[in-house]
Amino acid sequence: MEVLLEERATAGGAQERLLRAFEALQALSPDEMRATLTAASQLVAETFGAEKVDVLLYQEIGQTLEAVGTSDTPLGRHQHAIGLHRLPLANGGRAVQVFRTGTPFRDGHVEQDGEELLGIREGLGVRSTVAVPLVVAGV
């Protein structure tokens, strides 16, 4: 599982915001996975002032990373509308690289990154990204 953050720098009260976000994440119910991951994505987007946050999970059928939790933001809705919420492993891109290597990635100039998918750079207009793999129960 990985979390992708298209980040925007925020200032002042960062530790307090992070503490409130962590407490809110802990309070989310695991009963409904998609709803919980969407709520977590929204909370992270609000906390960091991000234009879009995704929780991507590997889908063995189809060999894709699928955004099963996306922040309810204009960019998040646009991503789903143009079909970029499913990323075939065969197409590569930074999210796939993080998934395959387990190494976090950050870039403040995505528009210049030839390794990133054209749809991410131009279709979504992403300019900065943070991708972090999360290991859950050894997976």
Side-chain angles (χ1 to χ4, degrees):
M1 177 174 18
E2 35 182 282
V3 176
L4 295 182
L5 302 175
E6 277 72 25
E7 67 178 355
R8 228 180 320 148
T10 59
Q15 288 183 337
E16 182 62 29
R17 282 194 318 274
L18 290 175
L19 178 59
R20 283 194 310 267
F22 181 71
E23 290 169 345
L25 284 170
Q26 286 183 312
L28 293 174
S29 169
D31 294 336
E32 177 55 48
M33 182 183 70
R34 285 185 185 265
T36 298
L37 294 177
T38 296
S41 296
Q42 185 67 31
L43 183 61
V44 171
E46 291 170 1
T47 300
F48 290 99
E51 291 185 70
K52 180 179 70 67
V53 173
D54 289 319
V55 176
L56 298 168
L57 295 180
Y58 173 65
Q59 304 297 325
E60 190 170 351
I61 297 174
Q63 299 287 298
T64 61
L65 296 179
E66 181 180 350
V68 296
T70 300
S71 56
D72 185 19
T73 60
L75 190 59
R77 290 186 295 275
H78 181 60
Q79 170 191 352
H80 282 260
I82 64 174
L84 285 172
H85 62 291
R86 289 190 181 97
L87 304 173
L89 296 185
N91 290 353
R94 293 301 184 176
V96 170
Q97 177 186 22
V98 169
F99 171 74
R100 286 186 168 149
T101 66
T103 303
F105 178 79
R106 181 180 70 143
D107 187 357
H109 296 284
V110 173
E111 71 279 7
Q112 299 171 13
D113 183 359
E115 297 292 317
E116 184 56 276
L117 297 173
L118 186 62
I120 302 292
R121 289 184 286 135
E122 294 185 13
L124 292 179
V126 170
R127 296 294 173 253
S128 62
T129 190
V130 174
V132 181
L134 299 176
V135 178
V136 177
V139 179

